[in-house]
Amino acid sequence: MNENVKQQPIRVLNLFTIMDRGGAETMVMNYYRHIDRTKIQFDFLVHREQRGAYDEEIESMGGKIYRMCPVYPQNFARYKRDLHSFFQSHPEYKIIHSHMSELGYFVFREAERQGVPVRICHAHNAPNGFDAKMIVRTYLKKRMMPYLTHLFICGEASGKWLYGEKNKSRFLMLNNAIDAVSYIYDLSKREEMRRHLGLADELVIGHVGRFNPQKNHSFLIDIFAALLKKEPNAVLLLVGGGEGMSKMQEKAQELGIAEHVRFLGVRSDVADLMQAMDVFVFPSLYEGLPVTMVEAQAAGLPCIISDKVPTECIPTEGLVDIMPLSASPEAWAEKILAKRAIPRTDRRAEIAAHGFDITTEAVKLQEFYLKAYEQNC
Protein backbone atom coordinates (compact mmCIF):
# COMPACT_ATOMS: atom_id res chain seq x y z
CA MET A 1 0.00 0.00 0.00
CA ASN A 2 1.55 3.32 -1.04
CA GLU A 3 1.55 6.43 1.15
CA ASN A 4 -1.05 8.23 -0.97
CA VAL A 5 -3.59 5.43 -0.48
CA LYS A 6 -2.98 5.43 3.27
CA GLN A 7 -4.08 9.04 3.50
CA GLN A 8 -7.51 8.26 2.02
CA PRO A 9 -10.33 6.60 3.97
CA ILE A 10 -11.17 3.03 3.04
CA ARG A 11 -14.53 3.11 1.27
CA VAL A 12 -16.84 0.26 2.31
CA LEU A 13 -19.75 -0.46 -0.03
CA ASN A 14 -22.93 -1.33 1.90
CA LEU A 15 -25.74 -3.12 0.08
CA PHE A 16 -29.37 -2.35 0.93
CA THR A 17 -32.76 -2.28 -0.72
CA ILE A 18 -33.40 1.32 0.34
CA MET A 19 -32.05 3.39 3.21
CA ASP A 20 -35.30 3.88 5.13
CA ARG A 21 -35.71 3.66 8.90
CA GLY A 22 -35.69 -0.13 9.26
CA GLY A 23 -33.80 -2.09 11.89
CA ALA A 24 -30.71 -3.00 9.83
CA GLU A 25 -30.59 0.44 8.24
CA THR A 26 -30.78 2.17 11.61
CA MET A 27 -28.06 -0.09 13.00
CA VAL A 28 -25.69 0.69 10.11
CA MET A 29 -26.36 4.41 10.49
CA ASN A 30 -25.50 4.14 14.20
CA TYR A 31 -22.12 2.67 13.25
CA TYR A 32 -21.63 5.17 10.43
CA ARG A 33 -22.12 8.15 12.77
CA HIS A 34 -19.56 6.83 15.24
CA ILE A 35 -16.71 5.44 13.12
CA ASP A 36 -13.71 7.61 12.32
CA ARG A 37 -14.64 8.76 8.82
CA THR A 38 -11.10 9.87 8.12
CA LYS A 39 -10.26 6.14 8.21
CA ILE A 40 -13.46 4.43 7.08
CA GLN A 41 -16.13 5.88 4.77
CA PHE A 42 -19.45 4.20 4.00
CA ASP A 43 -21.01 4.22 0.53
CA PHE A 44 -24.28 2.54 -0.42
CA LEU A 45 -25.55 0.48 -3.34
CA VAL A 46 -29.36 0.55 -3.11
CA HIS A 47 -32.08 -1.01 -5.22
CA ARG A 48 -34.79 1.63 -5.48
CA GLU A 49 -34.93 4.84 -7.51
CA GLN A 50 -36.71 6.80 -4.77
CA ARG A 51 -34.67 8.44 -2.05
CA GLY A 52 -34.61 6.85 1.39
CA ALA A 53 -35.10 8.49 4.77
CA TYR A 54 -31.37 8.39 5.52
CA ASP A 55 -30.09 9.55 2.10
CA GLU A 56 -29.62 13.19 3.07
CA GLU A 57 -27.68 12.30 6.22
CA ILE A 58 -25.50 9.84 4.31
CA GLU A 59 -24.58 12.49 1.77
CA SER A 60 -23.91 15.05 4.52
CA MET A 61 -21.32 12.66 6.01
CA GLY A 62 -19.57 12.19 2.67
CA GLY A 63 -21.21 8.93 1.63
CA LYS A 64 -22.06 8.11 -1.97
CA ILE A 65 -25.32 6.43 -3.00
CA TYR A 66 -25.54 4.34 -6.17
CA ARG A 67 -28.85 3.04 -7.50
CA MET A 68 -29.66 -0.28 -9.14
CA CYS A 69 -32.90 -1.78 -10.36
CA PRO A 70 -34.84 -3.97 -7.88
CA VAL A 71 -33.63 -7.57 -7.59
CA TYR A 72 -36.74 -9.09 -9.15
CA PRO A 73 -36.67 -12.21 -11.37
CA GLN A 74 -37.73 -10.19 -14.42
CA ASN A 75 -34.72 -7.93 -13.87
CA PHE A 76 -32.05 -10.60 -13.34
CA ALA A 77 -30.43 -10.31 -16.80
CA ARG A 78 -30.30 -6.51 -16.65
CA TYR A 79 -29.14 -6.56 -13.04
CA LYS A 80 -26.19 -8.82 -13.81
CA ARG A 81 -25.13 -6.58 -16.70
CA ASP A 82 -25.42 -3.47 -14.53
CA LEU A 83 -23.37 -5.07 -11.75
CA HIS A 84 -20.61 -5.96 -14.19
CA SER A 85 -20.50 -2.36 -15.42
CA PHE A 86 -20.57 -1.01 -11.87
CA PHE A 87 -17.55 -2.96 -10.66
CA GLN A 88 -15.68 -2.22 -13.87
CA SER A 89 -16.25 1.50 -13.17
CA HIS A 90 -15.50 1.32 -9.43
CA PRO A 91 -12.31 -0.64 -8.77
CA GLU A 92 -11.85 1.38 -5.55
CA TYR A 93 -14.16 -0.93 -3.61
CA LYS A 94 -12.21 -3.67 -1.86
CA ILE A 95 -14.78 -4.33 0.90
CA ILE A 96 -18.44 -5.12 0.28
CA HIS A 97 -20.80 -5.41 3.23
CA SER A 98 -24.23 -6.69 2.21
CA HIS A 99 -27.37 -6.42 4.34
CA MET A 100 -29.65 -8.08 1.76
CA SER A 101 -29.38 -11.70 2.93
CA GLU A 102 -29.50 -14.15 0.02
CA LEU A 103 -30.29 -11.39 -2.50
CA GLY A 104 -26.66 -10.36 -2.24
CA TYR A 105 -25.74 -13.48 -4.23
CA PHE A 106 -25.46 -11.70 -7.56
CA VAL A 107 -23.23 -8.98 -6.12
CA PHE A 108 -20.98 -11.45 -4.34
CA ARG A 109 -20.54 -13.54 -7.48
CA GLU A 110 -19.68 -10.55 -9.68
CA ALA A 111 -17.43 -9.03 -7.00
CA GLU A 112 -15.46 -12.27 -6.68
CA ARG A 113 -15.05 -12.45 -10.46
CA GLN A 114 -13.71 -8.89 -10.54
CA GLY A 115 -11.27 -9.38 -7.69
CA VAL A 116 -12.98 -7.68 -4.73
CA PRO A 117 -11.15 -9.44 -1.87
CA VAL A 118 -13.44 -8.81 1.16
CA ARG A 119 -17.07 -9.90 0.68
CA ILE A 120 -19.16 -9.71 3.86
CA CYS A 121 -22.70 -10.98 4.18
CA HIS A 122 -24.66 -9.86 7.23
CA ALA A 123 -27.54 -11.97 8.59
CA HIS A 124 -30.24 -9.77 10.13
CA ASN A 125 -33.25 -12.07 10.31
CA ALA A 126 -34.36 -15.61 11.05
CA PRO A 127 -37.57 -16.33 9.09
CA ASN A 128 -39.74 -19.30 9.93
CA GLY A 129 -42.58 -20.97 8.09
CA PHE A 130 -42.69 -21.70 4.37
CA ASP A 131 -44.07 -20.02 1.28
CA ALA A 132 -43.33 -19.99 -2.43
CA LYS A 133 -40.60 -17.37 -2.04
CA MET A 134 -38.73 -19.66 0.35
CA ILE A 135 -37.83 -22.00 -2.52
CA VAL A 136 -35.98 -19.22 -4.32
CA ARG A 137 -34.50 -17.89 -1.07
CA THR A 138 -33.11 -21.31 -0.15
CA TYR A 139 -31.61 -21.74 -3.62
CA LEU A 140 -29.90 -18.33 -3.56
CA LYS A 141 -28.50 -18.57 -0.05
CA LYS A 142 -26.85 -21.91 -0.88
CA ARG A 143 -25.47 -20.57 -4.14
CA MET A 144 -23.89 -17.51 -2.51
CA MET A 145 -21.85 -19.35 0.15
CA PRO A 146 -18.73 -20.03 -1.98
CA TYR A 147 -18.41 -16.30 -2.71
CA LEU A 148 -18.44 -15.10 0.93
CA THR A 149 -15.27 -14.31 2.85
CA HIS A 150 -16.93 -13.26 6.15
CA LEU A 151 -20.21 -14.30 7.76
CA PHE A 152 -21.59 -11.57 10.03
CA ILE A 153 -24.57 -12.20 12.31
CA CYS A 154 -26.71 -10.14 14.66
CA GLY A 155 -27.76 -13.27 16.58
CA GLU A 156 -27.15 -16.98 16.32
CA ALA A 157 -30.60 -17.81 14.92
CA SER A 158 -30.10 -15.42 12.02
CA GLY A 159 -26.75 -17.01 11.20
CA LYS A 160 -28.06 -20.55 11.29
CA TRP A 161 -30.92 -19.62 8.97
CA LEU A 162 -28.82 -17.81 6.37
CA TYR A 163 -25.55 -19.75 6.44
CA GLY A 164 -26.46 -23.10 7.93
CA GLU A 165 -25.45 -24.83 11.16
CA LYS A 166 -22.34 -26.34 9.56
CA ASN A 167 -20.83 -22.87 9.10
CA LYS A 168 -21.29 -21.84 12.74
CA SER A 169 -17.54 -21.71 13.37
CA ARG A 170 -17.26 -18.89 10.82
CA PHE A 171 -19.92 -16.65 12.39
CA LEU A 172 -18.78 -13.17 13.40
CA MET A 173 -21.09 -11.36 15.84
CA LEU A 174 -21.73 -7.68 15.22
CA ASN A 175 -24.08 -6.36 17.88
CA ASN A 176 -27.04 -4.18 16.91
CA ALA A 177 -25.54 -1.37 18.94
CA ILE A 178 -27.26 1.93 19.70
CA ASP A 179 -26.41 5.38 21.00
CA ALA A 180 -27.59 4.50 24.50
CA VAL A 181 -27.14 8.03 25.84
CA SER A 182 -29.89 9.40 23.60
CA TYR A 183 -32.43 6.93 25.08
CA ILE A 184 -31.83 7.56 28.80
CA TYR A 185 -35.13 8.01 30.62
CA ASP A 186 -35.85 11.67 31.22
CA LEU A 187 -39.00 12.66 33.13
CA SER A 188 -39.08 16.18 31.69
CA LYS A 189 -38.78 14.82 28.14
CA ARG A 190 -41.54 12.32 28.90
CA GLU A 191 -43.88 15.07 30.06
CA GLU A 192 -43.00 17.20 27.05
CA MET A 193 -43.66 14.38 24.57
CA ARG A 194 -46.93 13.39 26.21
CA ARG A 195 -48.12 17.01 26.00
CA HIS A 196 -47.06 17.10 22.35
CA LEU A 197 -49.07 13.92 21.68
CA GLY A 198 -52.09 15.18 23.61
CA LEU A 199 -51.70 12.57 26.34
CA ALA A 200 -52.38 13.01 30.04
CA ASP A 201 -52.61 10.03 32.39
CA GLU A 202 -53.35 7.35 29.78
CA LEU A 203 -51.60 3.97 29.85
CA VAL A 204 -49.49 4.19 26.70
CA ILE A 205 -48.54 0.98 24.90
CA GLY A 206 -45.83 1.32 22.29
CA HIS A 207 -44.49 -0.58 19.30
CA VAL A 208 -41.88 0.31 16.67
CA GLY A 209 -41.65 -1.69 13.46
CA ARG A 210 -42.59 -1.91 9.80
CA PHE A 211 -46.09 -2.99 8.97
CA ASN A 212 -45.31 -6.41 7.56
CA PRO A 213 -46.51 -9.87 8.65
CA GLN A 214 -43.32 -10.60 10.63
CA LYS A 215 -44.14 -7.91 13.20
CA ASN A 216 -47.58 -9.43 13.91
CA HIS A 217 -49.47 -6.13 14.19
CA SER A 218 -52.82 -7.91 13.81
CA PHE A 219 -52.25 -9.84 17.04
CA LEU A 220 -50.95 -6.69 18.72
CA ILE A 221 -54.22 -4.92 17.95
CA ASP A 222 -56.13 -7.92 19.35
CA ILE A 223 -54.03 -7.64 22.52
CA PHE A 224 -54.78 -3.94 22.77
CA ALA A 225 -58.51 -4.51 22.24
CA ALA A 226 -58.44 -6.98 25.15
CA LEU A 227 -56.49 -4.46 27.23
CA LEU A 228 -59.09 -1.74 26.67
CA LYS A 229 -61.73 -3.95 28.27
CA LYS A 230 -59.62 -4.01 31.44
CA GLU A 231 -58.18 -0.49 31.18
CA PRO A 232 -60.32 1.85 29.04
CA ASN A 233 -57.91 4.76 29.54
CA ALA A 234 -55.21 3.38 27.25
CA VAL A 235 -53.57 4.39 23.98
CA LEU A 236 -51.56 2.36 21.47
CA LEU A 237 -48.72 4.16 19.64
CA LEU A 238 -47.64 2.41 16.45
CA VAL A 239 -44.43 3.79 14.94
CA GLY A 240 -43.44 2.67 11.46
CA GLY A 241 -44.56 2.57 7.85
CA GLY A 242 -45.27 -0.02 5.21
CA GLU A 243 -47.99 -1.33 2.94
CA GLY A 244 -49.69 -3.24 5.73
CA MET A 245 -50.59 -0.11 7.69
CA SER A 246 -53.91 0.45 5.92
CA LYS A 247 -55.13 -3.05 6.82
CA MET A 248 -54.33 -2.44 10.46
CA GLN A 249 -56.17 0.88 10.36
CA GLU A 250 -59.19 -0.95 8.95
CA LYS A 251 -58.95 -3.57 11.69
CA ALA A 252 -58.87 -0.91 14.41
CA GLN A 253 -61.99 0.63 12.89
CA GLU A 254 -63.77 -2.74 12.71
CA LEU A 255 -63.01 -3.44 16.38
CA GLY A 256 -64.27 0.01 17.38
CA ILE A 257 -60.95 1.03 18.96
CA ALA A 258 -59.61 3.41 16.28
CA GLU A 259 -59.78 6.46 18.54
CA HIS A 260 -57.35 4.75 20.93
CA VAL A 261 -54.80 3.73 18.26
CA ARG A 262 -52.30 6.27 16.89
CA PHE A 263 -50.57 5.40 13.61
CA LEU A 264 -47.52 7.69 13.77
CA GLY A 265 -45.78 6.56 10.58
CA VAL A 266 -42.02 6.64 10.04
CA ARG A 267 -40.41 8.92 12.63
CA SER A 268 -36.97 10.33 13.29
CA ASP A 269 -37.72 10.92 17.00
CA VAL A 270 -38.14 7.33 18.19
CA ALA A 271 -35.97 7.97 21.27
CA ASP A 272 -38.31 10.77 22.35
CA LEU A 273 -41.46 8.78 21.58
CA MET A 274 -40.22 5.96 23.80
CA GLN A 275 -40.08 8.42 26.69
CA ALA A 276 -43.85 8.87 26.34
CA MET A 277 -44.60 5.12 26.43
CA ASP A 278 -45.36 3.01 29.51
CA VAL A 279 -45.00 -0.54 28.18
CA PHE A 280 -43.36 -1.75 24.96
CA VAL A 281 -45.06 -4.76 23.34
CA PHE A 282 -43.31 -6.78 20.63
CA PRO A 283 -45.21 -9.92 19.51
CA SER A 284 -43.12 -10.76 16.41
CA LEU A 285 -43.46 -14.06 14.57
CA TYR A 286 -39.68 -14.14 14.12
CA GLU A 287 -36.66 -11.83 14.44
CA GLY A 288 -32.91 -11.72 14.00
CA LEU A 289 -32.03 -9.35 16.80
CA PRO A 290 -34.37 -6.35 16.90
CA VAL A 291 -32.67 -2.98 17.38
CA THR A 292 -35.90 -1.49 18.71
CA MET A 293 -35.89 -3.90 21.63
CA VAL A 294 -32.43 -2.71 22.69
CA GLU A 295 -33.59 0.90 22.29
CA ALA A 296 -36.69 0.29 24.42
CA GLN A 297 -34.60 -1.17 27.22
CA ALA A 298 -32.12 1.71 27.00
CA ALA A 299 -35.14 3.96 27.59
CA GLY A 300 -35.97 1.95 30.71
CA LEU A 301 -39.24 0.73 29.19
CA PRO A 302 -40.88 -2.41 30.60
CA CYS A 303 -41.14 -4.79 27.64
CA ILE A 304 -43.19 -7.84 26.69
CA ILE A 305 -41.97 -9.92 23.78
CA SER A 306 -43.10 -13.10 22.07
CA ASP A 307 -41.32 -16.40 22.53
CA LYS A 308 -40.16 -16.14 18.91
CA VAL A 309 -37.89 -13.16 19.63
CA PRO A 310 -34.28 -14.22 20.43
CA THR A 311 -33.40 -13.72 24.08
CA GLU A 312 -30.02 -12.34 22.96
CA CYS A 313 -31.82 -9.00 22.67
CA ILE A 314 -32.29 -8.84 26.46
CA PRO A 315 -29.25 -7.16 28.07
CA THR A 316 -31.22 -5.91 31.10
CA GLU A 317 -32.41 -7.60 34.29
CA GLY A 318 -36.11 -7.69 35.15
CA LEU A 319 -37.25 -5.37 32.38
CA VAL A 320 -38.42 -7.89 29.76
CA ASP A 321 -41.06 -10.62 30.07
CA ILE A 322 -41.58 -13.32 27.44
CA MET A 323 -45.06 -14.44 26.43
CA PRO A 324 -45.91 -17.38 24.14
CA LEU A 325 -47.69 -16.49 20.93
CA SER A 326 -50.10 -19.29 21.78
CA ALA A 327 -51.32 -17.30 24.80
CA SER A 328 -54.59 -15.43 24.44
CA PRO A 329 -54.81 -11.65 23.89
CA GLU A 330 -56.39 -11.48 27.35
CA ALA A 331 -53.32 -13.14 28.90
CA TRP A 332 -51.05 -10.65 27.15
CA ALA A 333 -53.26 -7.80 28.41
CA GLU A 334 -52.93 -9.05 32.00
CA LYS A 335 -49.15 -9.17 31.59
CA ILE A 336 -49.14 -5.56 30.34
CA LEU A 337 -51.09 -4.40 33.39
CA ALA A 338 -48.69 -6.22 35.69
CA LYS A 339 -45.66 -4.75 33.91
CA ARG A 340 -46.77 -1.12 33.94
CA ALA A 341 -45.62 -0.52 37.53
CA ILE A 342 -41.90 -1.15 36.93
CA PRO A 343 -39.97 2.09 37.59
CA ARG A 344 -38.00 3.66 34.74
CA THR A 345 -34.26 3.83 35.47
CA ASP A 346 -30.98 4.43 33.63
CA ARG A 347 -29.95 1.13 32.01
CA ARG A 348 -26.80 2.32 30.21
CA ALA A 349 -24.43 0.18 32.25
CA GLU A 350 -26.27 -3.03 31.36
CA ILE A 351 -26.55 -2.04 27.70
CA ALA A 352 -22.80 -1.35 27.48
CA ALA A 353 -21.83 -4.49 29.43
CA HIS A 354 -23.58 -6.64 26.82
CA GLY A 355 -21.93 -4.93 23.86
CA PHE A 356 -24.87 -2.81 22.71
CA ASP A 357 -23.33 0.64 23.20
CA ILE A 358 -22.23 2.08 19.86
CA THR A 359 -19.33 4.11 21.25
CA THR A 360 -17.30 0.95 21.88
CA GLU A 361 -18.76 -1.31 19.20
CA ALA A 362 -18.03 1.16 16.37
CA VAL A 363 -14.34 1.01 17.23
CA LYS A 364 -14.43 -2.80 16.91
CA LEU A 365 -16.04 -2.66 13.46
CA GLN A 366 -13.59 0.01 12.34
CA GLU A 367 -10.66 -2.13 13.42
CA PHE A 368 -12.12 -5.13 11.59
CA TYR A 369 -12.31 -3.18 8.32
CA LEU A 370 -8.78 -1.80 8.72
CA LYS A 371 -7.34 -5.24 9.42
CA ALA A 372 -9.28 -6.90 6.58
CA TYR A 373 -8.07 -4.24 4.17
CA GLU A 374 -4.47 -4.51 5.31
CA GLN A 375 -4.48 -8.31 4.98
CA ASN A 376 -6.18 -8.51 1.61
CA CYS A 377 -5.33 -5.36 -0.36
Side-chain angles (χ1 to χ4, degrees):
M1 201 185 333
N2 63 47
E3 289 302 314
N4 186 52
V5 172
K6 285 182 181 179
Q7 295 170 4
Q8 300 299 317
I10 297 166
R11 304 197 78 93
V12 175
L13 187 66
N14 286 272
L15 270 61
F16 276 101
T17 299
I18 184 172
M19 285 305 294
D20 276 339
R21 296 184 187 279
E25 295 84 353
T26 297
M27 181 273 288
V28 168
M29 291 303 294
N30 283 337
Y31 277 94
Y32 190 17
R33 295 178 191 116
H34 288 83
I35 60 172
D36 182 347
R37 293 190 295 278
T38 67
K39 295 180 178 179
I40 303 291
Q41 178 58 253
F42 282 4
D43 295 330
F44 295 82
L45 185 68
V46 299
H47 296 77
R48 294 292 184 271
E49 282 301 318
Q50 66 267 34
R51 288 177 66 81
Y54 286 123
D55 283 15
E56 184 175 347
E57 183 181 0
I58 289 168
E59 291 164 347
S60 74
M61 292 192 289
K64 300 175 183 177
I65 303 172
Y66 306 97
R67 301 187 188 279
M68 289 277 176
C69 63
V71 192
Y72 296 153
Q74 63 268 30
N75 294 337
F76 282 176
R78 171 191 167 190
Y79 186 57
K80 286 186 277 188
R81 289 194 303 269
D82 289 350
L83 283 175
H84 179 80
S85 297
F86 176 85
F87 285 110
Q88 287 280 302
S89 302
H90 294 282
E92 69 270 24
Y93 292 112
K94 305 302 182 185
I95 302 176
I96 295 172
H97 192 152
S98 173
H99 307 271
M100 295 178 64
S101 294
E102 73 285 347
L103 289 180
Y105 159 68
F106 298 100
V107 175
F108 292 129
R109 184 179 66 174
E110 185 62 33
E112 191 269 344
R113 290 174 176 176
Q114 298 209 33
V116 178
V118 182
R119 303 177 298 276
I120 305 164
C121 187
H122 201 142
H124 289 286
N125 230 328
N128 57 25
F130 183 84
D131 57 24
K133 289 182 180 179
M134 197 58 71
I135 297 172
V136 177
R137 298 191 73 178
T138 300
Y139 172 78
L140 290 177
K141 69 182 184 179
K142 289 182 178 179
R143 288 290 299 272
M144 79 174 178
M145 288 304 300
Y147 302 107
L148 305 181
T149 59
H150 298 84
L151 313 183
F152 275 32
I153 64 172
C154 67
E156 197 160 296
S158 66
K160 289 179 180 178
W161 182 84
L162 187 58
Y163 310 124
E165 176 83 37
K166 66 181 180 180
N167 290 303
K168 186 176 175 181
S169 62
R170 295 177 60 194
F171 292 177
L172 297 171
M173 176 70 78
L174 182 66
N175 286 322
N176 287 357
I178 65 167
D179 184 3
V181 172
S182 63
Y183 288 87
I184 298 170
Y185 179 63
D186 183 329
L187 180 58
S188 62
K189 175 61 72 173
R190 170 183 170 83
E191 292 172 346
E192 177 188 336
M193 286 304 298
R194 287 176 76 101
R195 282 195 302 270
H196 176 72
L197 293 165
L199 299 169
D201 60 349
E202 293 91 340
L203 171 61
V204 179
I205 309 307
H207 180 274
V208 179
R210 284 180 176 144
F211 282 84
N212 61 30
Q214 169 191 349
K215 301 299 182 182
N216 208 9
H217 283 91
S218 183
F219 185 53
L220 176 56
I221 289 176
D222 288 336
I223 293 168
F224 184 67
L227 177 69
L228 282 175
K229 293 177 181 178
K230 304 172 185 292
E231 174 50 85
N233 191 30
V235 171
L236 175 62
L237 300 184
L238 298 176
V239 183
E243 296 177 359
M245 184 190 297
S246 59
K247 288 186 178 180
M248 295 304 104
Q249 290 171 324
E250 291 172 8
K251 178 165 185 170
Q253 288 282 356
E254 291 168 1
L255 293 176
I257 63 172
E259 64 180 17
H260 293 269
V261 183
R262 309 273 187 91
F263 292 86
L264 301 182
V266 177
R267 302 282 295 241
S268 61
D269 58 347
V270 171
D272 292 342
L273 289 169
M274 285 184 170
Q275 302 292 322
M277 299 172 186
D278 294 306
V279 182
F280 195 79
V281 182
F282 206 71
S284 292
L285 299 176
Y286 60 88
E287 289 286 345
L289 195 146
V291 178
T292 52
M293 272 302 302
V294 181
E295 293 170 339
Q297 291 168 83
L301 264 175
C303 302
I304 302 169
I305 66 174
S306 79
D307 55 353
K308 302 301 181 182
V309 178
T311 57
E312 294 158 292
C313 76
I314 309 176
T316 59
E317 190 73 33
L319 205 54
V320 181
D321 281 0
I322 300 170
M323 285 289 287
L325 283 178
S326 58
S328 67
E330 290 74 19
W332 279 72
E334 288 289 351
K335 181 64 72 173
I336 290 170
L337 292 174
K339 205 70 177 168
R340 68 188 295 185
I342 293 180
R344 305 278 290 269
T345 58
D346 185 346
R347 299 287 184 142
R348 269 180 300 174
E350 291 169 282
I351 297 293
H354 286 79
F356 289 110
D357 190 343
I358 196 65
T359 54
T360 55
E361 296 306 297
V363 174
K364 295 178 184 177
L365 179 61
Q366 178 177 303
E367 292 305 312
F368 169 86
Y369 288 141
L370 292 170
K371 184 176 180 181
Y373 190 90
E374 182 180 349
Q375 291 177 342
N376 293 281
C377 302

